[in-house]
Amino acid sequence: MNEFRDKYTQDFTDLLVQHDDLKQKQQKHNDFLIKQLCKHKVYRKDYDILKKKQEEELNTLIVTSTSTNTRNLDKEINELITVHEEEIDIWIQEHVKKARSRNCFIL
């Protein structure tokens, strides 16, 4: 029984490490795409507006939070950050499509 547990605990740990590595690679790729897209003035302005809106939402959540429990606040903040990451992914996808339709060779 212990061998079984040890084997699958190690397998699970390996999967977590692999997941983290893939997540870091995806983040680097997204950062690269954002950097390339922001070289175009219109895209940079649009991205800045998105980031400013996200910062305002986060600040509003923190200021207006009525929960005195920090665990609930942390959970709400993490959920908002997840939503913001999804919004950025959607923004990247939309603007890469626009850049490709313009025959932009940056990407």
Side-chain angles (χ1 to χ4, degrees):
M1 196 66 165
N2 282 338
E3 291 175 18
F4 176 81
R5 185 181 341 158
D6 291 342
K7 179 182 183 235
Y8 286 100
T9 301
Q10 182 61 38
D11 289 349
F12 182 73
T13 304
D14 292 343
L15 283 174
L16 287 176
V17 169
Q18 185 180 14
H19 175 71
D20 288 341
D21 290 344
L22 290 173
K23 195 172 182 179
Q24 287 177 355
K25 285 180 183 179
Q26 180 66 35
Q27 185 61 43
K28 286 181 182 179
H29 181 69
N30 285 348
D31 292 343
F32 173 76
L33 287 175
I34 290 169
K35 182 179 176 183
Q36 295 300 317
L37 287 168
C38 285
K39 287 181 179 180
H40 192 278
K41 187 177 181 179
V42 175
Y43 295 161
R44 182 178 58 244
K45 183 178 179 182
D46 194 27
Y47 182 72
D48 290 342
I49 291 170
L50 175 65
K51 290 300 287 183
K52 186 174 182 178
K53 181 189 90 152
Q54 290 178 345
E55 287 176 17
E56 289 173 359
E57 288 176 354
L58 186 60
N59 290 335
T60 302
L61 175 65
I62 292 171
V63 170
T64 61
S65 176
T66 57
S67 63
T68 56
N69 189 351
T70 58
R71 191 173 287 174
N72 287 338
L73 181 60
D74 288 342
K75 182 180 176 186
E76 291 175 8
I77 289 173
N78 288 334
E79 289 173 358
L80 186 61
I81 289 172
T82 302
V83 169
H84 288 170
E85 289 172 353
E86 291 173 4
E87 289 174 352
I88 290 173
D89 288 341
I90 292 169
W91 182 89
I92 290 172
Q93 291 174 6
E94 290 174 356
H95 287 79
V96 166
K97 286 179 185 178
K98 288 179 186 178
R100 285 185 179 159
S101 69
R102 291 181 164 184
N103 293 325
C104 178
F105 296 106
I106 294 174
L107 304 173

